[in-house]
Amino acid sequence: MKDEEIIALYWARDERAIAASTARYGSYCHSISYNILHNLQDAQECVNDTWLAAWKSMPPHRPHRLSVYLGKITRNLSLNRVKHYAAEKRGLGQRELALSELEECIPSGGNVEQFIEEMSLAQSVNRFLYAQPRQKRNIFIRRYWYLCSIRDIAQAYDMSESKVASLLFRMRNELKSHLEKEDIKI
Amino acid sequence: MNNMYSSEKLLRAIGEIDESLVCDAFNDTEKRKRQLKWGSLAAALALCAGAFIVIGGILKTGSREAGTPEASPAGNSVVILDVNPSIALTVNADEKIAAADGLNEDGKAVLRGMDLTEADLTAAVSEIMNSMLQKGYLSDLQNAILVSVEDNDTGKSTELQKRVSSVIAAALQEGNLGGTVFSQTFHVTPELEQLAQNYGISLGKAALIQEAASGAPSLTTDDLALLSIPELELLTRSQDPYSEILFLQSIAEGRTMISQESAVEIALEHAGVDAVDTDGLKTALDSRDEITVYKVEFHAGEIIYEYDIDAHTGRVVNCASEKETVD
């Protein structure tokens, strides 16, 4: 089924949209979530939650690239989950956990300022990335978008792990200078 | 703490970068080696990276070199199966097998000892699937299938595609596997045959590479030939979200696995240890002697326990314990 057909199913409130999404992008979303969570069951739950989130967001959204749209939802859900687990594991007490849990109550897009701030930060990162050589840029994205491990990136690019680590270290410093130059404060 | 929130914010913002950048990073194959490992991402992709089945409506009989089918008399079709192993089935107008060829070493290994001549197409595909299962080419971790159809008669190729897909689905379910079927149609051209021959790959994969290459001019065919089918599918899809080249179908797992929690409970019970007395619990899905297992590791007092629990039956496949050593 074509992406536009899947999107049409979402817009028509047709539950076959979920099955079609699973068929086409289940493994893609699962791989993103697994990179973050390293747990098959949790990753699967995040993928299932992705379809629910997609169901709630389409309409009004009509994504241009369904793969990245769904992948982004999975990434965010997985990051939320890992943050909650990290708080639990650190034993930082109930405050961290409560904060993490309460985040679920905050309506997405409810805070326009925060959204604009995040978008301007993303735009600045875009400019930084477009200015990088392709390989460096893609290594950065694999690390910080797909959350691939340094070892996996090193294998994929036939580099030593230390080379990847130092490349990313330099890129982070360059990004810091870039953000300062653009007067972006986080 | 502020730094933590700032980096969290940056991580979230990176999630909003241009989609084309995200796609390009995914598709980037520069310096990529033959292993399909893409770290955890590839491992997850490998969940659906196992098998390809190419159904061709090309007309042909007899054996041939890998990826170099010849023209065959009208009324015949060719079915090519790629599961890493590549297999070509020549099918006559009655849908009986006229010839079965292994297009690579794995394909030949799958066909070894099988006589498919005059067998029904569906029976032959079923038998091949069983052979792949038995010989370990299909497993819990490798269970994706590509169905490609080459035929000028679209109706016929679609019909064949559906029929073979359903046979594959049944075989996967009988083998207690879930899976994904990728299917496509393509037409044989001299360029396609050349591409298949150059890389020793099936026409189906070559067709997919051609499609992916047309949308990604920055990548060479050398780069693309190293990619798995699921990766090529993603590349094609990312360049053209509305591409009709592939149709995907998920097959539900025939047998459900026990939960991770159940595996832990089984291990704890076997060890005679109460959950509250343990720490450092780690679990992971793994494969041991072709059995999918949960690896469960935990500490209780000064003892470290390690278990392999059959992920389907809950049987304790292996257990070990040793006294923790302090460095």
Side-chain angles (χ1 to χ4, degrees):
Chain A
M1 191 176 289
K2 293 185 289 186
D3 279 6
E4 61 184 358
E5 290 171 337
I6 298 176
I7 294 165
L9 288 175
Y10 277 109
W11 275 68
R13 316 311 292 154
D14 186 328
E15 288 177 13
R16 285 177 297 170
I18 309 291
S21 300
T22 307
R24 189 181 294 277
Y25 295 116
S27 60
Y28 174 68
C29 290
H30 191 278
S31 67
I32 292 170
S33 186
Y34 186 81
N35 270 358
I36 296 170
L37 295 166
H38 289 279
N39 180 303
L40 285 171
Q41 194 177 340
D42 286 347
Q44 192 52 50
E45 285 176 18
C46 277
V47 172
N48 291 340
D49 290 347
T50 299
W51 313 141
L52 182 64
W55 181 262
K56 288 177 179 170
S57 62
M58 287 186 279
H61 288 288
R62 197 179 277 281
H64 173 58
R65 279 195 172 97
L66 189 59
S67 60
V68 180
Y69 182 78
L70 296 173
K72 260 159 65 170
I73 295 175
T74 306
R75 183 181 185 271
N76 283 334
L77 290 171
S78 305
L79 287 174
N80 288 346
R81 184 171 288 222
V82 85
K83 194 174 161 189
H84 187 77
Y85 285 171
E88 243 175 358
K89 201 173 175 183
R90 281 199 309 271
L92 291 182
Q94 296 307 310
R95 180 182 174 274
E96 288 290 325
L97 286 173
L99 280 176
S100 167
E101 285 160 15
L102 283 173
E103 276 185 11
E104 293 165 17
C105 310
I106 299 170
S108 56
N111 185 337
V112 178
E113 273 178 27
Q114 188 186 327
F115 178 76
I116 291 170
E117 194 186 336
E118 190 171 287
M119 284 302 110
S120 69
L121 179 55
Q123 289 310 313
S124 181
V125 175
N126 269 336
R127 288 189 287 276
F128 167 74
L129 289 174
Y130 278 118
Q132 300 295 322
R134 181 165 178 246
Q135 189 184 70
K136 276 177 74 179
R137 181 179 72 216
N138 286 342
I139 286 175
F140 185 94
I141 294 169
R142 281 190 181 191
R143 178 71 183 134
Y144 298 113
W145 202 100
Y146 286 105
L147 286 295
C148 290
S149 71
I150 286 174
R151 173 183 290 187
D152 292 339
I153 296 169
Q155 277 179 356
Y157 284 87
D158 195 24
M159 289 178 174
S160 67
E161 289 180 41
S162 59
K163 188 173 177 187
V164 173
S166 68
L167 182 146
L168 287 168
F169 174 74
R170 283 198 300 275
M171 286 191 82
R172 288 196 299 271
N173 282 338
E174 288 168 22
L175 176 60
K176 186 180 176 189
S177 306
H178 167 85
L179 293 174
E180 283 170 352
K181 208 181 287 176
E182 294 207 345
D183 201 24
I184 301 278
K185 292 184 179 62
I186 307 175
Chain B
M1 192 63 72
N2 280 340
N3 278 344
M4 194 180 82
Y5 286 133
S6 298
S7 53
E8 169 86 22
K9 222 185 260 184
L10 184 56
L11 193 62
R12 300 278 175 179
I14 288 169
E16 299 299 328
I17 60 172
D18 279 359
E19 291 178 354
S20 55
L21 289 176
V22 179
C23 284
D24 188 53
F26 190 85
N27 301 330
D28 180 17
T29 56
E30 281 179 1
K31 302 209 174 182
R32 193 182 168 118
K33 295 304 178 190
R34 266 183 202 284
Q35 72 267 30
L36 304 178
K37 259 194 154 179
W38 216 45
S40 310
L41 183 55
L45 277 174
L47 286 169
C48 64
F52 309 107
I53 298 197
V54 182
I55 308 169
I58 342 166
L59 316 170
K60 106 185 17 291
T61 53
S63 62
R64 59 185 165 277
E65 295 294 316
T68 58
E70 305 155 1
S72 44
N76 282 8
S77 307
V78 170
V79 176
I80 307 171
L81 313 184
D82 271 90
V83 186
N84 268 344
S86 301
I87 294 166
L89 299 176
T90 305
V91 182
N92 66 23
D94 297 329
E95 294 197 5
K96 305 274 188 199
I97 304 298
D101 304 299
L103 299 179
N104 57 15
E105 286 309 312
D106 285 339
K108 287 172 186 159
V110 169
L111 291 178
R112 199 160 293 140
M114 294 169 70
D115 181 10
L116 300 173
T117 314
E118 287 300 308
D120 281 337
L121 170 63
T122 50
V125 171
S126 180
E127 202 170 327
I128 287 168
M129 290 295 287
N130 285 336
S131 175
M132 285 177 183
L133 280 163
Q134 281 167 12
K135 292 175 180 169
Y137 290 111
L138 287 167
S139 67
D140 281 329
L141 301 177
Q142 247 193 346
N143 53 12
I145 294 152
L146 173 70
V147 178
S148 305
V149 178
E150 198 288 331
D151 200 324
N152 289 328
D153 181 345
T154 311
K156 186 181 174 189
S157 59
T158 306
E159 182 60 32
L160 270 177
Q161 190 175 332
K162 280 183 186 166
R163 199 165 317 141
V164 174
S165 294
S166 67
V167 173
I168 293 163
L172 284 175
Q173 281 173 334
E174 274 174 31
N176 294 318
L177 293 173
T180 306
V181 180
F182 300 78
S183 57
Q184 66 172 348
T185 56
F186 67 97
H187 297 288
V188 175
T189 62
E191 293 76 24
L192 187 71
E193 289 182 328
Q194 189 64 50
L195 184 62
Q197 196 164 20
N198 286 350
Y199 293 100
I201 55 177
S202 75
L203 285 170
K205 186 168 181 184
L208 195 52
I209 287 172
Q210 267 191 342
E211 182 70 17
S214 65
S218 60
L219 296 177
T220 66
T221 45
D222 281 348
D223 292 328
L224 296 168
L226 301 179
L227 296 182
S228 69
I229 297 292
E231 289 169 316
L232 285 168
E233 187 273 333
L234 278 174
L235 178 58
T236 306
R237 183 80 48 212
S238 68
Q239 302 297 333
D240 177 8
Y242 306 117
S243 168
E244 291 183 53
I245 186 168
L246 285 166
F247 170 77
L248 270 73
Q249 165 189 355
S250 275
I251 295 156
E253 204 169 297
R255 177 177 53 167
T256 51
M257 293 196 292
I258 63 168
S259 70
Q260 203 161 290
E261 288 74 18
S262 302
V264 172
E265 279 172 21
I266 290 165
L268 289 173
E269 192 181 331
H270 189 275
V273 172
D274 199 318
V276 293
D277 297 327
T278 66
D279 60 19
L281 175 69
K282 290 181 200 162
T283 55
L285 204 55
D286 202 353
S287 176
R288 182 190 169 94
D289 300 331
E290 297 183 7
I291 300 173
T292 306
V293 296
Y294 283 108
K295 294 190 93 62
V296 181
E297 186 186 320
F298 55 88
H299 299 201
E302 292 180 334
I303 310 290
I304 304 173
Y305 293 88
E306 288 180 3
Y307 278 87
D308 289 340
I309 308 290
D310 188 314
H312 290 295
T313 65
R315 182 171 63 91
V316 176
V317 177
N318 184 47
C319 66
S321 60
E322 62 176 344
K323 196 168 179 189
E324 197 169 2
T325 52
V326 182
D327 295 326

